[in-house]
C-alpha cells in the first residue's frame, strides 16, 4: 500500500486486533516510516476501524484504502487536481482498477466501493457500525450507507471517471459473491431499506433477484426472500 515518501502525503493505519499476539505481526516499516501514523484498536468491525482511522487523520483530503491497495504518485496527483477543479465537492468517488489494469467493475456503477471514496476532512460523517464486516447485524453495505448519510447531512458528492487505485478483485467488493451468500443478500436488502424506505426497498429487492434470473439463470426466489428478510431485520434493529 505504501508509496515511497512524498511531500504532502501521509498515512494513517488503523489496526484492529482481538489478541495481543497479532501485534507481533505488525511490519517494521509501519513503525519506522515518519509519514505513517499507526493506531491500534482492540476488537473487531470494519466500520469501527475506519472511523478510528478517520479520527486520527489530519490531512485536508482523505483517501479510504485497504492494505492490499496499490497506489501511484499519478493517482495522488489526480485526486489533488480533482479537488482543485471542483471546490464545491466535499466527496469525490473515482474508479478502481484490478491489479492487471482492468476496471474493477462497470462504471458508472449503482454502488460504490470503499477504495473509490475520497473526501474533505470537514466531512464528519461516520461509518455505521451496523453495517460492514465484523458487524453483528449486516456484513456489507457500509459504503452506501455512509455516502447516503453524508449527502443527507448536506455534503456535495460527485463522481469522476478517473482511476486512483489498483486492488485485487478477489478481496474488494461483494458483488461476485452475492448470488451465493444469504448474508450478503440480507445486507443488501437492509441497505436498500435504510436508504430508500420499505416500499422501494422491496421493489428493488425483487428487481435485483429478477436480474440474476434473467442474466445469470439463478433461481430468484432465495435471493428475493433473503433480501426481504434483510429489510425486516433493518426495520427492527434501528
Amino acid at each position: 500500500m505504501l508509496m515511497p515518501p512524498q511531500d504532502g502525503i501521509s498515512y494513517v493505519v488503523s489496526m484492529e486486533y482481538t489478541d495481543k499476539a497479532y501485534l507481533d505481526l505488525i511490519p517494521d516499516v509501519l513503525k519506522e516510516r515518519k509519514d505513517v501514523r499507526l493506531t491500534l484498536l482492540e476488537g473487531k468491525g470494519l466500520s469501527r476501524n475506519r472511523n478510528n482511522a478517520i479520527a486520527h487523520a489530519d490531512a485536508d483530503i482523505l483517501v479510504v484504502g485497504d492494505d492490499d491497495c496499490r497506489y501511484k504518485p499519478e493517482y495522488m496527483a489526480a485526486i489533488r487536481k480533482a479537488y482543485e477543479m471542483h471546490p464545491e465537492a466535499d466527496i469525490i468517488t473515482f474508479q478502481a482498477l484490478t491489479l492487471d489494469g482492468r476496471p474493477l467493475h462497470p462504471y458508472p456503477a449503482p454502488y460504490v466501493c470503499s477504495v473509490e471514496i475520497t473526501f474533505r476532512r470537514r466531512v464528519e460523517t461516520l461509518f455505521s457500525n451496523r453495517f460492514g464486516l465484523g458487524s453483528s447485524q449486516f456484513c456489507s453495505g457500509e459504503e452506501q450507507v455512509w455516502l447516503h448519510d453524508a449527502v443527507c447531512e448536506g455534503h456535495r458528492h460527485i463522481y469522476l471517471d478517473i482511476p486512483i487505485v489498483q486492488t485485487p478483485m478477489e478481496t474488494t467488493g461483494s458483488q461476485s459473491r452475492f448470488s451465493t451468500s444469504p448474508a450478503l443478500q440480507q445486507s443488501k436488502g437492509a441497505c436498500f431499506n435504510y436508504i430508500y424506505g420499505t416500499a422501494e426497498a422491496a421493489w428493488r429487492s425483487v428487481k435485483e433477484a429478477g436480474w440474476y434470473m434473467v442474466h445469470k439463470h439463478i433461481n430468484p426466489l432465495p435471493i428475493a426472500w433473503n433480501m426481504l428478510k434483510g429489510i425486516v431485520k433493518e426495520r427492527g434493529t434501528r
Side-chain angles (χ1 to χ4, degrees), residues 32-50:
E32 298 167 356
R33 289 264 301 250
K34 293 183 179 180
D35 57 348
V36 175
R37 179 181 299 177
L38 176 64
T39 174
L40 305 178
L41 182 66
E42 188 172 7
K44 64 178 183 178
L46 178 60
S47 291
R48 181 170 172 264
N49 202 33
R50 285 187 179 144

Side-chain angles (χ1 to χ4, degrees), residues 4-232:
Q6 298 181 63
D7 290 340
I9 296 178
S10 60
Y11 304 84
V12 176
V13 178
S14 179
M15 178 178 173
E16 58 182 1
Y17 65 96
T18 55
D19 189 310
K20 290 186 177 180
Y22 290 115
L23 302 181
D24 296 331
L25 304 178
I26 298 174
D28 290 338
V29 65
L30 296 182
K31 304 173 185 177
E32 298 167 356
R33 289 264 301 250
K34 293 183 179 180
D35 57 348
V36 175
R37 179 181 299 177
L38 176 64
T39 174
L40 305 178
L41 182 66
E42 188 172 7
K44 64 178 183 178
L46 178 60
S47 291
R48 181 170 172 264
N49 202 33
R50 285 187 179 144
N51 290 336
N52 183 59
I54 292 169
H56 287 84
D58 55 13
D60 292 332
I61 298 171
L62 307 185
V63 179
V64 179
D66 289 324
D67 58 1
D68 55 3
C69 287
R70 301 292 178 266
Y71 295 101
K72 299 178 181 179
E74 52 263 40
Y75 293 159
M76 299 297 106
I79 295 171
R80 283 181 174 141
K81 184 177 180 180
Y83 277 97
E84 290 172 359
M85 294 181 64
H86 296 278
E88 79 285 0
D90 300 305
I91 303 163
I92 304 180
T93 53
F94 294 88
Q95 292 186 358
L97 303 177
T98 61
L99 296 182
D100 59 2
R102 294 176 292 117
L104 183 64
H105 50 76
Y107 291 97
Y111 55 88
V112 62
C113 292
S114 61
V115 297
E116 299 162 353
I117 295 174
T118 71
F119 57 98
R120 297 187 191 274
R121 186 64 188 88
R122 63 177 179 244
V123 178
E124 297 182 347
T125 308
L126 296 178
F127 284 89
S128 172
N129 290 325
R130 299 175 62 214
F131 294 83
L133 286 174
S135 168
S136 62
Q137 295 186 26
F138 308 110
C139 66
S140 65
E142 73 282 356
E143 303 101 326
Q144 330 311 319
V145 168
W146 179 87
L147 187 58
H148 169 78
D149 286 346
V151 171
C152 286
E153 291 171 8
H155 297 296
R156 176 78 184 276
H157 163 241
I158 65 172
Y159 159 76
L160 297 178
D161 57 350
I162 300 170
I164 62 162
V165 63
Q166 289 179 271
T167 185
M169 178 177 288
E170 298 79 10
T171 60
T172 303
S174 56
Q175 294 301 311
S176 62
R177 306 186 301 276
F178 177 81
S179 64
T180 59
S181 172
L184 288 174
Q185 294 159 12
Q186 288 190 32
S187 294
K188 193 160 192 175
C191 183
F192 280 169
N193 192 70
Y194 184 94
I195 295 173
Y196 302 111
T198 301
E200 186 168 348
W203 162 242
R204 285 175 175 265
S205 296
V206 172
K207 184 178 177 181
E208 182 95 6
W211 186 92
Y212 278 91
M213 178 183 69
V214 172
H215 296 279
K216 300 293 184 180
H217 308 293
I218 294 173
N219 182 359
L221 295 180
I223 295 176
W225 176 246
N226 284 319
M227 293 183 73
L228 293 173
K229 286 173 66 176
I231 291 173
V232 173

